[in-house]
Amino acid sequence: MKLFKICLTLILTFIFISSATVMAGTLDDVKAKGYIQAGVNGDLFGFGKPDEKGEWKGLDVDTARAVAAAVFGDASKVKFTPLTAKTRFTALQSGEIDVLTRNCTQTLSRDTALGLDFCQVNYYDGQGFLIHKKLGVKSAKELDGASVCVLPGTTTEQNVADFFRANGMKMNPVVIENTAELAKAFFAGRCDCLTSDASQLAGTRAVAPNPGDYIILPEVISKEPLAPAVRHGDNQWKDIVNYSVLAMINAEELGITSKNVDEKLKSTDPKVKRFLGVSPGNGKALGLDEKFAYNIVKQLGNYGEVFERNVGTDTPLMIERGLNALWTNGGLLYSAPFK
């Protein structure tokens, strides 16, 4: 009996220490080093790519900056690690990065088998096909026998195989590991079409030698909810990343922008006061400053501003809001209440 009690005490102590370690987790780590290490796509225009001056730009990049603004009150306190589709999950699992913001699809198998947790979706997407106009194809169902450029180890690879099989067609996959090399192969004529998320196809077309020579076919063959990911078990860090994305969405719902956010601090609307930290509580609940949402909106803007700046209709990608509009405008974006 005495031995049993000793063993039980040791087990409970181990559980307590393990729980304390998880709770200390990523937030304490990033505060200690003074910045967030974010994994991104280093070659995708509009989502994650350095510009000609070496400054990182893109919707996923701004998502990581939103987390930095929430944690430090300074969106610049983030460093970026470019990752391939193959290395992205390993980098997060190993602790090389603190958060993965790299056009990553949430799936059941990834949620359950990889030791990851996905946060709020920051871009609703779907897989499509990019072709050269000279191919003369109007529909993906005319691609029987085509050679198809595709990244390995992605939902894209499985989706395209399923699509061809379901439609009784054959394809010749051209598998290339790197996004930039994949685009080069397609532009060089090594494959008839390139398949990926429609957002990635738009980014690839935008940097083509002659973008007008290429078209994205009308078929969307999958659902691709793209979301930041964190390590499983660190609930506080997941909440912080989750509500950093939701803060941008909620700001747009409330009509708060980077230009009017200071004026909104004077609002008498209880929802606005809670959201901007004038009425305290939200920040404390996350272990952050009460003005974490204010800092995100002030430095980066609401979701609509971030979307339009990086991928919207006035950018080379020319992407309409579509599914990424607010729910009040026919889209899927909907924020949990900040209370």
Side-chain angles (χ1 to χ4, degrees), residues 62-337:
D62 279 349
T63 298
R65 288 194 175 115
V67 182
V71 173
F72 296 108
D74 185 346
S76 70
K77 290 192 174 183
V78 57
K79 296 182 180 181
F80 299 102
T81 300
L83 297 168
T84 66
K86 259 194 165 182
T87 61
R88 55 187 167 172
F89 299 125
T90 306
L92 183 58
Q93 292 162 338
S94 68
E96 179 185 346
I97 59 173
D98 303 308
V99 60
L100 181 64
T101 57
R102 188 203 178 279
N103 56 307
C104 219
T105 303
Q106 178 179 9
T107 69
L108 185 150
S109 59
R110 289 174 177 175
D111 256 332
T112 56
L114 296 181
L116 310 178
D117 279 338
F118 286 88
C119 302
Q120 168 64 36
V121 172
N122 70 334
Y123 192 92
Y124 288 97
D125 210 346
Q127 186 172 332
F129 297 89
L130 180 67
I131 64 164
H132 198 292
K133 284 182 178 178
K134 68 182 180 183
L135 196 62
V137 169
K138 302 297 182 185
S139 166
K141 293 183 179 179
E142 299 172 30
L143 292 173
D144 190 18
S147 54
V148 182
C149 278
V150 63
L151 286 170
T154 61
T155 55
T156 305
E157 189 177 23
Q158 181 179 354
N159 290 339
V160 70
D162 288 347
F163 175 78
F164 272 78
R165 191 179 300 112
N167 286 281
M169 302 189 302
K170 293 183 179 180
M171 71 167 188
N172 300 306
V174 179
V175 180
I176 298 174
E177 304 256 342
N178 179 281
T179 302
E181 293 303 316
L182 189 76
K184 287 180 185 177
F186 172 64
F187 293 139
R190 286 182 56 190
C191 49
D192 298 312
C193 73
L194 171 62
T195 186
S196 188
D197 296 345
S199 60
Q200 186 161 325
L201 298 181
T204 300
R205 181 174 62 179
V207 297
N210 296 294
D213 290 344
Y214 300 90
I215 60 170
I216 298 174
L217 295 176
E219 286 86 359
V220 176
I221 67 170
S222 70
K223 295 184 293 183
E224 305 294 332
L226 309 181
V230 297
R231 284 180 290 279
H232 183 73
D234 193 340
N235 293 341
Q236 183 185 24
W237 185 242
K238 179 183 177 181
D239 288 343
I240 288 170
V241 175
N242 199 45
Y243 277 91
S244 294
V245 179
L246 286 168
M248 294 186 285
I249 297 170
N250 198 52
E252 188 175 9
E253 289 183 333
L254 294 172
I256 304 173
T257 70
S258 58
K259 295 180 176 61
N260 70 16
V261 67
D262 286 322
E263 185 64 27
K264 290 288 186 178
L265 288 171
K266 304 171 188 175
S267 173
T268 58
D269 185 334
K271 288 185 292 186
V272 173
K273 291 174 72 174
R274 282 194 299 267
F275 177 69
L276 295 178
V278 176
S279 297
N282 288 336
K284 182 180 179 181
L286 291 169
L288 301 176
D289 187 274
E290 292 296 345
K291 287 196 172 182
F292 80 93
Y294 165 86
N295 289 328
I296 292 172
V297 180
K298 178 67 176 178
Q299 296 176 46
L300 293 158
N302 64 32
Y303 183 88
E305 290 177 280
V306 172
F307 183 98
E308 294 300 338
R309 177 169 67 244
N310 290 297
V311 302
T313 53
D314 290 334
T315 71
L317 278 72
M318 300 181 290
I319 298 176
E320 301 279 351
R321 287 290 294 270
L323 295 177
N324 295 292
L326 293 179
W327 63 285
T328 50
N329 295 325
L332 297 178
L333 295 189
Y334 185 107
S335 174

